Amino acid sequence: MATAHHDAHDDHHGISHVASAKVLLGTGGSLLFLTVVTVLATKVDFGPSINLALAMFIAAVKATLVVLFFMHLKYDKVFHTVIFVGAILAGALFVGFTLMDTGQYQETNIWDVDRPPPAPIGPRPISG
Amino acid sequence: MSEHPHAGHGDDHGHGHHGSPFIQHHYDDAKHQFEAGKLGIWIFLAQEVLFFSALFVAYILYRHHHPEIYAYAHKYLDTKMGAINTGVLIVSSLTAAWAVRAAQLRQQKLLIACLATTIACAFGFLVIKYFEYTHKIHEQILFGKRFDPCVSSGGTPLLTKSNECPGTKSTVQWDFATSSPKEGSCFGDVAIDLDPKKPNVQADCKVFELTGSTTFQDGKEVFVEKGRREITARCPDPVFGRDLGLPPGTDPSKTSYPCWKTNHQPHVCKGGWYFTWYCEGDSCAAPFGGEGPFATQQACVDARRGKEGSGTVTECAPSHASGILVEYGDHDVREGVRITAECKAPAAPVAEGDPLEDKAQALALGQASLATEAPLTKAERKNALYAGPPPEHTNMFFTIYFAMTGLHGIHVLIGVFIFIWLLIRAIKGHFTPDYFGPIDFAALYWHIVDLIWIFLFPLLYLIH
């Protein structure tokens, strides 16, 4: 039976930590609240990059809440954190390496009819 | 708490465990088994992160190169549906986490309720996704080559390649004499000629598409207008390119002048002297049939300007009529759409002279429409963007969208099956405080699915 004892303390006498009702409800409520915040934040124009950064920051906070409390990582073995954070770092490395040379392709990748890239440098080809 | 039938019997493995019969004999005890499973699920979750990261790389790379596509295409997605689905997944994550707690505390009924709620939420998520997907299939907002949208991201009708959109209108010719649309098409008997030099032809028009509904009042059909947008084509001349008629220093993106255009938005034919002909190499053809035996490209150009330099212009000139051609996808009349035009008086006829003067006249004709427009506000610019056709390669957004949401959806579907299996086992009373690993591991999987969606929602639906 759920008792005040269980709710009041981090319970470690079982085979695993029991999340308290307060923590679960608080996490769920915060996640729903942050969802509303991120939707509302999109309606305000802070400029595209700040809007994106804000949305990603809120998503990161939500993800952290899920991982720490719903997934019990706060009370879990450190090794599980190492595995999980390691995977995220590997993903970040993946993104970073792929984006490394993107600056070198823009002229050819983006073709805007109204703003064509500058003519190549060199003498005009002789016709006839 | 005594509703659990199996608790306290583990002797059938011959190890003398106390507790669940589901503790395998090769583990020391319940905690040992639980921790082995937990390590396994965390390694699996790490793999899931890497798995999805490939798609996030595709997303980030493409967004980096083509921000305009994301700025346009996200408008196709329904933020409300995405937000509801986010909420649904969060609630299901909460109930999944609570199911673990209930199993740990031997709260059998609460455990069953939590698992059932999780399944219900997962179903709700899939149902909303089903509605989103079917809408996109209906409007041909799909991936790769199947991206051939019937509407712009702002919801205005588009001319599609496949002509398969439901209820689109083919052709409307605007009759300036009666100020009403003509039936029939450009390819029929009545060709279009808006040569401004001819009498009674008005070439400087703004064309509007009205949306609304038809009702009957006193036995008469009345069109109630609900909205209008200008659909006058704004494009460079297809034959002359960017040089035609543009005064030096004019910004092409801020001018509109007569042209005809064949991309995925309603055709608006306006103006006519180069409408009538087009050139390919040495031959000159009328776009609606008829070939002109012109020797040189210059002769074609002259012909388009109404000159008779080659002496054969009249042979292939179309019959004279006035109108505006607006084309949508197929040949059914689109409900609730009307075309109207506002035209200015025709330019005063100018005596034909040398080609330079001729060009000057063309400039004079376009002057009214060439005038630089007042700068649009940010919101107006956005709405104009959303009303127009998608930028090139917008299909890539939906290729990425369907890959990401599809893979995520498959995960949700798998989660449904896992939780149904857990629900059955919970009803059978398999789970006890010393044996709740399957619930904990499934909940961890479910949280990762929620976590992915927490990022997908702003990345796909909330682009500013």
Side-chain angles (χ1 to χ4, degrees):
Chain A
M1 208 65 210
T3 63
H5 168 77
H6 283 110
D7 285 347
H9 305 281
D10 288 344
D11 186 306
H12 278 288
H13 71 255
I15 61 174
S16 179
H17 168 259
V18 181
S20 77
K22 217 198 282 179
V23 164
L24 290 181
L25 280 179
T27 309
S30 310
L31 290 173
L32 289 175
F33 173 72
L34 286 173
T35 305
V36 175
V37 169
T38 193
V39 171
L40 292 180
T42 315
K43 296 188 196 294
V44 187
D45 184 10
F46 298 110
S49 47
I50 294 188
N51 271 104
L52 176 65
L54 188 64
M56 286 301 97
F57 175 73
I58 294 173
V61 171
K62 285 168 76 180
T64 312
L65 288 176
V66 169
V67 172
L68 286 184
F69 301 111
F70 277 176
M71 299 174 85
H72 297 159
L73 210 51
K74 185 168 187 267
Y75 316 99
D76 210 342
K77 289 184 178 166
V78 179
F79 185 55
H80 296 161
T81 309
V82 171
I83 294 172
F84 191 64
V85 172
I88 290 168
L89 288 180
L93 201 67
F94 193 8
V95 174
F97 266 84
T98 320
L99 282 173
M100 209 153 57
D101 65 347
T102 46
Q104 296 167 29
Y105 292 91
Q106 294 208 358
E107 287 297 316
T108 48
N109 273 0
I110 298 177
W111 180 267
D112 185 340
V113 190
D114 291 330
R115 281 176 293 278
I121 302 163
R124 189 183 275 259
I126 299 154
S127 58
Chain B
M1 209 63 195
S2 59
E3 59 200 78
H4 193 11
H6 292 293
H9 301 282
D11 298 352
D12 41 331
H13 294 298
H15 271 247
H17 290 142
H18 292 290
S20 171
F22 298 102
I23 306 303
Q24 303 288 314
H25 63 85
H26 48 272
Y27 290 109
D28 292 341
D29 52 18
K31 192 177 173 74
H32 187 201
Q33 172 165 335
F34 175 80
E35 285 179 352
K38 190 112 169 173
L39 177 64
I41 194 73
W42 274 106
I43 289 169
F44 173 74
L45 296 186
Q47 176 278 140
E48 287 281 271
V49 169
L50 292 174
F51 186 33
F52 272 98
S53 77
L55 286 173
F56 280 102
V57 166
Y59 174 96
I60 294 167
L61 195 66
Y62 214 78
R63 182 160 177 183
H64 185 87
H65 280 303
H66 292 281
E68 78 282 2
I69 287 172
Y70 287 74
Y72 178 89
H74 83 96
K75 195 77 176 142
Y76 276 118
L77 306 180
D78 190 340
T79 308
K80 203 188 282 173
M81 292 245 199
I84 291 172
N85 257 354
T86 311
V88 164
L89 271 195
I90 288 171
V91 170
S92 74
S93 247
L94 175 63
T95 54
W98 213 296
V100 178
R101 178 186 149 87
Q104 285 174 312
L105 299 178
R106 213 190 277 280
Q107 295 164 329
Q108 173 77 356
K109 279 181 189 152
L110 187 59
L111 169 64
I112 289 169
C114 282
L115 291 174
T117 314
T118 307
I119 294 165
C121 286
F123 260 118
F125 181 91
L126 289 173
V127 166
I128 291 174
K129 267 259 97 72
Y130 168 81
F131 282 123
E132 286 190 86
Y133 277 15
T134 44
H135 170 74
K136 284 185 181 58
I137 292 166
H138 187 254
E139 299 283 342
Q140 303 190 77
I141 307 164
L142 293 169
F143 38 80
K145 283 184 179 172
R146 300 291 310 279
F147 180 75
D148 191 14
C150 296
V151 290
S152 76
S153 69
T156 50
L158 296 175
L159 184 71
T160 63
K161 286 171 274 184
S162 62
N163 277 349
E164 281 170 356
C165 293
T168 45
K169 178 169 54 184
S170 60
T171 303
V172 170
Q173 285 185 22
W174 186 256
D175 185 350
F176 290 101
T178 61
S179 283
S180 62
K182 282 180 185 174
E183 293 297 321
S185 96
C186 206
F187 301 89
D189 297 334
V190 188
I192 309 289
D193 183 2
L194 293 181
D195 189 336
K197 289 177 197 161
K198 296 197 172 78
N200 302 321
V201 171
Q202 300 171 335
D204 189 21
C205 295
K206 279 187 172 178
V207 186
F208 295 94
E209 183 197 67
L210 313 181
T211 49
S213 52
T214 311
T215 53
F216 285 91
Q217 282 178 5
D218 307 327
K220 272 186 175 176
E221 204 181 89
V222 181
F223 184 75
V224 182
E225 183 187 328
K226 286 185 182 143
R228 65 162 61 198
R229 63 175 181 128
E230 193 187 340
I231 53 170
T232 318
R234 291 155 140 248
C235 53
D237 173 67
V239 178
F240 291 83
R242 290 137 70 72
D243 296 328
L244 178 89
L246 279 181
T250 310
D251 181 354
S253 65
K254 286 189 179 146
T255 55
S256 64
Y257 45 90
C259 71
W260 61 290
K261 192 173 178 182
T262 53
N263 73 7
H264 307 149
Q265 64 177 356
H267 270 43
V268 179
C269 304
K270 180 184 151 194
W273 70 100
Y274 51 79
F275 183 118
T276 317
W277 310 100
Y278 65 90
C279 286
E280 253 183 49
D282 286 346
S283 72
C284 187
F288 309 122
E291 290 247 347
F294 294 94
T296 64
Q297 203 159 336
Q298 184 54 46
C300 293
V301 171
D302 288 342
R304 275 186 230 106
R305 291 178 177 174
K307 293 182 70 136
E308 294 185 287
S310 69
T312 50
V313 176
T314 48
E315 277 178 43
C316 48
S319 60
H320 293 169
S322 305
I324 288 164
L325 173 80
V326 180
E327 263 193 6
Y328 292 96
D330 61 21
H331 295 275
D332 297 323
V333 170
R334 195 178 179 97
E335 294 282 331
V337 174
R338 294 278 171 98
I339 304 298
T340 187
E342 287 170 9
C343 295
K344 287 186 178 162
V350 176
E352 279 182 35
D354 61 285
L356 271 177
E357 199 186 322
D358 202 32
K359 187 161 184 174
Q361 194 230 348
L363 278 176
L365 158 80
Q367 214 47 259
S369 50
L370 279 172
T372 312
E373 293 167 12
L376 300 172
T377 66
K378 211 167 181 180
E380 282 172 335
R381 268 209 309 279
K382 274 201 163 176
N383 287 336
L385 176 78
Y386 297 146
E392 246 188 301
H393 310 305
T394 302
N395 58 354
M396 278 304 293
F397 177 88
F398 287 97
T399 306
I400 291 169
Y401 166 85
F402 279 105
M404 292 183 111
T405 59
L407 188 66
H408 180 267
I410 289 170
H411 275 79
V412 173
L413 193 64
I414 292 170
V416 168
F417 289 118
I418 292 173
F419 275 97
I420 288 175
W421 170 67
L422 289 178
L423 180 65
I424 294 168
R425 291 195 65 185
I427 290 168
K428 287 181 181 168
H430 287 187
F431 300 116
T432 53
D434 63 349
Y435 178 73
F436 62 94
I439 294 180
D440 196 24
F441 309 150
L444 283 172
Y445 166 81
W446 194 248
H447 296 317
I448 265 286
V449 173
D450 183 28
L451 204 84
I452 302 280
W453 185 259
I454 282 175
F455 282 97
L456 286 185
F457 172 56
L459 285 176
L460 294 170
Y461 291 77
L462 295 180
I463 296 169
H464 192 81

